[in-house]
Amino acid sequence: SEPQNIDLIFHENKMENWFLPTDGYLKRMSEMYKKYIHLKSNIKKTIEEDIQSILKNKVTLGVHYRGTDYFLNCNGHPISITIDDYIEEIKRAIETKIFEQIFIATDDLVAIEKFSKEFKNIIFYSDTYRVEGKVSIAYAKDTTKPNGYVLGYQVLRDAYTLAACDGLIGGKSQVCYGTQMIKYAMEEEFSYKKIIDKGINDNNNDWLNEYKKL
């Protein structure tokens, strides 16, 4: 958390910011992850059971779609990627490799609806909390929203499930990067991987100021 440590990490890994990690950085972080970070036994067991119940050992393309507040396109954050962009990338992936199904991990309710209409073999966790619009699920004013523990479990489960997939399509998000770290920590690599990149926003849209307008 110290500025000098952050500067050192950026310098050693030739990174501009957290949204532009190098593959070397992800592999180095995976080594630290494997050594120091472990799930509690009961959580590990539940996540493994959830993964087995949804993937069923089928060849799966994992897709992580970051919606909601990414559409605010705030300064220093990745330029938002449309669902249509993802659909085109998914079509390319299934043309190059035989995937039996497509696992969708997303915080965006509309994305689930559109992907399900476009592809027949879509799977996703039906109990995951999702929202519409430009407000993050963390700040959604919804009386049905699960508590922070459940939200944390769900995003962790998504990352581990994506890491259990054979292929990965995603954007510049920390969940997507965390997924790759987990995969490397498992001493595995995706047979197909596409990280969609439209660049980083360079504007005057401050994240907190944009949230105050909503």
Side-chain angles (χ1 to χ4, degrees), residues 118-130:
E118 187 69 30
F119 303 100
K120 295 180 179 179
N121 54 344
I122 291 291
I123 58 172
F124 53 89
Y125 288 115
S126 59
D127 62 343
T128 293
Y129 179 73
R130 302 180 180 92

Side-chain angles (χ1 to χ4, degrees), residues 145-152:
K145 182 175 75 172
N147 59 40
Y149 180 88
V150 174
L151 291 177

Side-chain angles (χ1 to χ4, degrees), residues 66-74 107 133-136 207 211:
R66 180 70 163 82
T68 63
D69 59 338
Y70 253 41
F71 290 113
L72 293 174
N73 284 307
C74 294
D107 55 351
K134 298 181 180 180
V135 178
S136 165
W207 188 82
Y211 251 85

Side-chain angles (χ1 to χ4, degrees), residues 13 15 17-26 172 177 181:
N13 292 279
M15 292 166 52
N17 60 51
W18 294 121
F19 292 109
L20 298 170
T22 61
D23 200 54
Y25 166 80
L26 294 174
K172 290 180 173 296
Y177 294 141
M181 292 178 194

Side-chain angles (χ1 to χ4, degrees), residues 102-117:
I102 304 167
F103 169 69
I104 303 293
T106 182
D107 55 351
D108 196 288
L109 190 59
V110 173
I112 289 291
E113 297 172 354
K114 289 189 175 182
F115 285 132
S116 297
K117 288 180 180 179

